[in-house]
Amino acid sequence: IDFDFVRALNVVKENNIYELEDMLYEINEFDYSYSNYEKIKKIFSEAITAIQMANSEEEINSIVERVPSLVDEVITYADLNSYKNAALDEFEKYISSINLKDYSKDNYQLIESKIKEAKEAIKKAPTMTEIDNIIENTKVYIENIDKKKSGCKGSSSSIAGLLLSALAITLLKNKKR
């Protein structure tokens, strides 16, 4: 065992661990949600553990160099608010593309209520994924609301039911022959 190498490597480990601790100290935890700041602490904890297990200075340097990019991937409140604003803008474009005259008064009110509910939920959403889910679920909800029918007053489901019944009767008659 080369004790000089081991001592020198331990000094490099200690110095880099102090550097990581300083980096963590410089991060303002109030820029992040609790769970996102916990992610950041985990990044540093895992990096420190990896440094302690490292067998070369190159390995240590590689670990330390990766930390800033990993931290940059964690979403800040500012990132989340920018995303919310962009998502609300896109949602407004979607809403303006809906022809509300295509809906009955009751269905129009359902859509308006759902849109209002979605906007409030987006403003309170803690993650980008939740924002995306709110918008997608709202779009699906709106797309599944019946539009006004022109001409015949029967609903498409009652017409489909009549057609299926007629088909079943025809099949039964043909089966008896």
Side-chain angles (χ1 to χ4, degrees), residues 22-53:
D22 286 344
M23 286 169 61
L24 177 59
Y25 180 74
E26 289 177 17
I27 294 174
N28 185 353
E29 70 180 285
F30 299 110
D31 287 343
Y32 300 88
S33 66
Y34 175 80
S35 61
N36 283 353
Y37 190 69
E38 289 298 310
K39 287 178 189 176
I40 290 173
K41 290 187 340 188
K42 183 177 180 190
I43 290 167
F44 281 92
S45 173
E46 289 174 354
I48 289 169
T49 300
I51 288 171
Q52 291 168 338
M53 304 297 289

Side-chain angles (χ1 to χ4, degrees), residues 94-132:
Y94 168 76
I95 292 166
S96 67
S97 74
I98 298 170
N99 187 356
L100 295 174
K101 293 178 183 175
D102 289 344
Y103 298 92
S104 68
K105 183 178 178 183
D106 290 341
N107 285 349
Y108 172 82
Q109 288 173 343
L110 287 173
I111 291 171
E112 278 189 324
S113 174
K114 189 65 173 179
I115 289 170
K116 182 179 178 183
E117 177 186 310
K119 286 179 180 179
E120 289 303 312
I122 289 168
K123 290 175 186 174
K124 295 176 184 175
T127 65
M128 292 176 177
T129 302
E130 190 168 328
I131 293 167
D132 292 341

Side-chain angles (χ1 to χ4, degrees), residues 75 80 83 125-137:
I75 304 301
L80 183 61
Y83 192 81
T127 65
M128 292 176 177
T129 302
E130 190 168 328
I131 293 167
D132 292 341
N133 290 340
I134 291 165
I135 292 172
E136 185 59 32
N137 292 339

Side-chain angles (χ1 to χ4, degrees), residues 53-103:
M53 304 297 289
N55 294 316
S56 70
E57 190 170 346
E58 293 79 22
E59 190 177 351
I60 293 168
N61 291 336
S62 173
I63 294 164
V64 172
E65 288 170 6
R66 277 195 318 265
V67 170
S69 63
L70 293 172
V71 170
D72 286 344
E73 292 175 14
V74 179
I75 304 301
T76 65
Y77 281 127
D79 296 333
L80 183 61
N81 287 332
S82 293
Y83 192 81
K84 284 179 184 182
N85 291 334
L88 283 167
D89 289 346
E90 284 300 311
F91 190 54
E92 286 293 339
K93 288 178 188 173
Y94 168 76
I95 292 166
S96 67
S97 74
I98 298 170
N99 187 356
L100 295 174
K101 293 178 183 175
D102 289 344
Y103 298 92

